[in-house]
């Protein structure tokens, strides 16, 4: 606690450089099942099946978002270009889940900041040591399954 405000331990997070280096240590067997995609300059580097699964779950199954607001059955937003996308596949290459790690550059806020206020005693970590996890989706056929 600093002046009555809760602080996040910056050593608990990997920097962007450390995170990138860590990705290269993942074993090759799991690379077939779990994959990470960085869009670079556009979301075009991220497989479209991730955005189609998000549309299926968020728009059609759960109705959190309005399906008619999205083109070609793909749910995309302004944060996809500022995110690393993680996908889980079956051994026969079928997408079963995805999530994204949002790391917007200043002055763009994090998505949650557009909808929520942080607690008065919370102090945000440095931006280069922070990220927001969002858009977690699991294909309906793979939910509530035993491992």
């Amino acid at each position: 606690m600093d002046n009555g405000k809760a602080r996040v331990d910056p050593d608990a997070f990997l920097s962007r450089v450390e995170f990138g280096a860590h990705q290269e240590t993942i074993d090759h067997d799991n690379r077939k099942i779990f994959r990470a995609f960085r869009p670079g300059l556009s979301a075009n580097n991220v497989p479209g099946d991730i955005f189609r699964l998000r549309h299926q779950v968020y728009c059609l199954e759960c109705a959190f978002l309005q399906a008619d607001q999205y083109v070609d059955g793909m749910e995309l937003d302004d944060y996809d270009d500022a995110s690393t996308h993680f996908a889980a596949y079956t051994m026969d290459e079928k997408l079963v889940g995805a999530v994204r790690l949002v790391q917007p550059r200043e002055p763009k806020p994090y998505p949650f900041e557009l909808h929520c206020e942080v607690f008065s005693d919370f102090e945000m970590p440095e931006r280069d040591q922070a990220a927001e996890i969002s858009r977690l989706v699991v294909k309906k056929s793979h939910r509530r399954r035993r491992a």
Side-chain angles (χ1 to χ4, degrees):
M1 291 280 233
D2 227 43
N3 296 331
K5 293 192 174 206
R7 289 197 43 85
V8 173
D9 178 9
D11 294 330
F13 298 93
L14 295 175
S15 69
R16 289 177 198 262
V17 172
E18 291 169 322
F19 178 76
H22 174 71
Q23 278 190 314
E24 298 307 313
T25 65
I26 298 170
D27 68 83
H28 293 285
D29 288 334
N30 282 332
R31 282 182 187 232
K32 295 175 188 170
I33 302 171
F34 302 104
R35 300 182 195 141
F37 303 95
R38 291 190 183 143
L41 299 176
S42 77
N44 291 338
N45 297 340
V46 180
D49 57 350
I50 291 175
F51 302 117
R52 282 188 284 280
L53 179 58
R54 285 179 15 186
H55 185 272
Q56 178 66 35
V57 173
Y58 283 103
C59 298
L60 305 179
E61 293 173 14
C62 298
F64 292 144
L65 302 170
Q66 295 180 352
D68 60 359
Q69 304 247 325
Y70 299 93
V71 179
D72 297 329
M74 298 176 72
E75 190 277 313
L76 293 110
D77 69 14
D78 293 337
Y79 287 94
D80 287 314
D81 290 343
S83 302
T84 300
H85 299 261
F86 298 91
Y89 292 88
T90 61
M91 291 305 280
D92 58 345
E93 303 288 317
K94 291 188 176 39
L95 178 71
V96 293
V99 66
R100 70 179 180 185
L101 187 68
V102 182
Q103 296 176 296
R105 301 280 183 207
E106 291 222 55
K108 192 174 189 174
Y110 286 96
F112 85 90
E113 293 177 294
L114 301 174
H115 306 284
C116 308
E117 289 185 32
V118 295
F119 297 110
S120 61
D121 65 340
F122 180 76
E123 194 170 310
M124 291 285 285
E126 297 294 322
R127 272 186 102 78
D128 66 343
Q129 297 179 354
E132 178 178 334
I133 297 171
S134 69
R135 293 302 199 262
L136 171 67
V137 290
V138 176
K139 193 172 183 176
K140 192 172 189 173
S141 62
H142 283 71
R143 292 182 212 149
R144 298 185 179 261
R145 292 178 61 168
R146 299 188 108 192

